[in-house]
Amino acid sequence: MEANLPKRKETRKSLRIKVISMGNAEVGKSCIIKRYCEKRFVPKYLATIGIDYGVTKVQIREREIKVNIFDMAGHPFFYEVRNEFYKDTQGVVLVYDVGQKESFDALDAWLTEMKQELGPHGNMENIVFVVCANKIDCTKHRCVDESEGRLWAESRGFLYFETSAQTGEGINEMFQTFYSAVVDLCDNGGKRPTSSMSVSFTKEQVDTIRRIRNSKDSWDMLGVKPGATRDEVNKAYRKLAVLLHPDKCVAPGSEDAFKAVVNARTALLKNIK
Ligand code: GTP
Ligand code: MG
C-alpha cells in the first residue's frame, strides 16, 4: 500500500551551467559579478585581463546549481582571448552603462561577435540573455533611458534589468531570474522554452517607436512632408495612433511615443489653415 512505502527522496542531479559576461570595457561586468558573489563593490577600475574565471553555487527552486562564470574583458585588445570562450554557453549577462551611449549602441556588435565565433552551427536562440542597464546610481549622467534599453532587450526576447553594482540595486533579482531561466532552458532539453521567447509586440511597433524617438521635427515624426495638408496630417496621425495606442501596444516606450505623436499633430494643425 502506498502509505507504507518509504518516501522516495527527490534525486534531481545538481546542474552545472556555463555563463559569460559581455559588453564594452568599464561598463561594470566584473563589479556586477563581484557584488553578487562577494557582496562588495570596488570603486577603483581594475580592467579584466582577457578572462576571469570563477565557480559559484546557487540555489534555484531548491535545487543546487553549479555556475561556471567566465567574465570577459570588454576591451577590443582581448578579442583573441575572448573568442575561445563563447561556445557551450547557456547564459549571457550583457551589460551596458546607462551613462555611456556608445556602450548601449555596441550591444549589437557584441551579439555579432558571439554569433561569428559560434559559427554556422551555433544557435543563439537557445541561450538565455539578460541585459543589464548598469550604473543607474549615476542619475546625473544617464543618457539611455529605461524604455530604450527595455525595448532593445525585450524585442529580442531577452530579459532586462536596471542595475547598480555600487548600491546593489537590481543585482540579486537579476541573477535569480537569469539563473532560473537558464535552469528552465536546461530542463527543456537545452532549448529556450517558447513561452520565454514570445514577444508581445510587433517589429512594426518597435521600429515606429524608434523612428519617433529619432525624428527631427513634428513633420518627420508623423512621417509627412513639410507643408502637408490637414487631411494628410490627420491620416498619418490616425495610423500611428492605432499602432501605438497604450490600450493596444505594450512595447516599452509606446506611451511616450504616443504622447509625442499627439503633441506633434496638435502643433502642426495649429499652423495649417
Ligand atoms: P573590463 O573588465 O575592462 O571589460 O570592464 P568591466 O566591464 O568589468 O568594468 P568594471 O566592473 O571593472 O567597472 C568599471 C568601473 O566602473 C569601475 O571603476 C567600477 O567601480 C565602476 N562601476 C561598476 N559598476 C558601477 C555602478 O553600478 N555604479 C557606479 N557608479 N560605478 C560602477
Ligand atoms: Mg572586467
Side-chain angles (χ1 to χ4, degrees):
M1 258 173 25
E2 201 162 288
N4 294 332
L5 285 174
K7 264 196 182 158
R8 215 174 347 134
K9 233 182 155 187
E10 267 282 326
T11 51
R12 276 200 289 180
K13 266 203 277 171
S14 80
L15 196 62
R16 199 180 261 275
I17 61 172
K18 173 184 170 182
V19 305
I20 61 173
S21 69
M22 254 164 48
N24 277 11
E26 241 177 293
V27 293
K29 301 178 293 298
S30 303
C31 285
I32 286 174
I33 294 169
K34 200 164 265 152
R35 164 60 75 187
Y36 184 68
C37 297
E38 299 172 24
K39 313 270 173 271
R40 66 192 180 101
F41 175 70
V42 185
K44 188 165 180 271
Y45 175 41
L46 299 162
T48 303
I49 308 297
I51 293 273
D52 267 348
Y53 168 70
V55 189
T56 177
K57 276 185 194 162
V58 293
Q59 200 78 16
I60 299 292
R61 299 194 296 262
E62 288 160 34
R63 191 159 166 201
E64 188 169 276
I65 316 294
K66 256 192 203 142
V67 187
N68 293 284
I69 305 185
F70 292 81
D71 176 25
M72 300 211 182
H75 198 282
F77 180 77
F78 295 111
Y79 166 69
E80 293 292 339
V81 185
R82 276 198 308 265
N83 63 14
E84 300 196 10
F85 291 89
Y86 283 116
K87 57 184 182 299
D88 303 324
T89 295
Q90 280 103 17
V92 176
V93 181
L94 186 55
V95 185
Y96 69 91
D97 172 350
V98 296
Q100 233 209 350
K101 184 76 165 56
E102 311 88 85
S103 70
F104 175 66
D105 293 338
L107 295 179
D108 281 310
W110 282 103
L111 294 183
T112 306
E113 179 175 308
M114 180 167 192
K115 202 170 181 172
Q116 194 176 316
E117 291 315 315
L118 291 180
H121 304 297
N123 192 350
M124 303 269 283
E125 292 300 311
N126 292 324
I127 296 172
V128 176
F129 283 85
V130 62
V131 175
C132 296
N134 194 39
K135 305 199 189 182
I136 54 163
D137 54 284
C138 303
T139 44
K140 266 200 207 140
H141 304 288
R142 184 158 190 167
C143 59
V144 184
D145 68 24
E146 177 175 351
S147 61
E148 199 175 349
R150 197 177 273 287
L151 186 65
W152 188 91
E154 292 183 358
S155 61
R156 286 164 176 79
F158 297 172
L159 298 164
Y160 172 88
F161 280 85
E162 301 244 307
T163 58
S164 166
Q166 189 194 62
T167 65
E169 196 177 338
I171 303 286
N172 283 345
E173 298 90 309
M174 181 275 287
F175 272 112
Q176 286 294 314
T177 311
F178 172 60
Y179 287 143
S180 196
V182 175
V183 171
D184 289 343
L185 173 119
C186 295
D187 287 346
N188 197 42
K191 287 207 161 81
R192 199 140 52 118
T194 34
S195 62
S196 75
M197 289 173 73
S198 63
V199 174
S200 45
F201 38 87
T202 63
K203 183 169 183 315
E204 189 186 7
Q205 287 171 328
V206 171
D207 291 346
T208 306
I209 292 168
R210 237 175 240 143
R211 190 186 62 70
I212 288 169
R213 273 177 195 284
N214 296 329
S215 55
K216 55 181 190 301
D217 55 32
S218 299
W219 303 107
D220 193 27
M221 189 175 287
L222 288 185
V224 293
K225 290 205 180 86
T229 63
R230 287 183 87 83
D231 271 359
E232 285 165 336
V233 168
N234 279 326
K235 203 169 153 200
Y237 165 76
R238 275 195 298 273
K239 201 169 158 223
L240 289 170
V242 168
L243 192 67
L244 300 174
H245 194 282
D247 289 350
K248 300 261 168 54
C249 180
V250 295
S254 57
E255 210 170 316
D256 286 346
F258 179 74
K259 279 186 202 149
V261 165
V262 171
N263 291 340
R265 174 202 184 215
T266 311
L268 291 180
L269 290 185
K270 245 191 225 163
N271 297 316
I272 302 175
K273 299 252 160 53

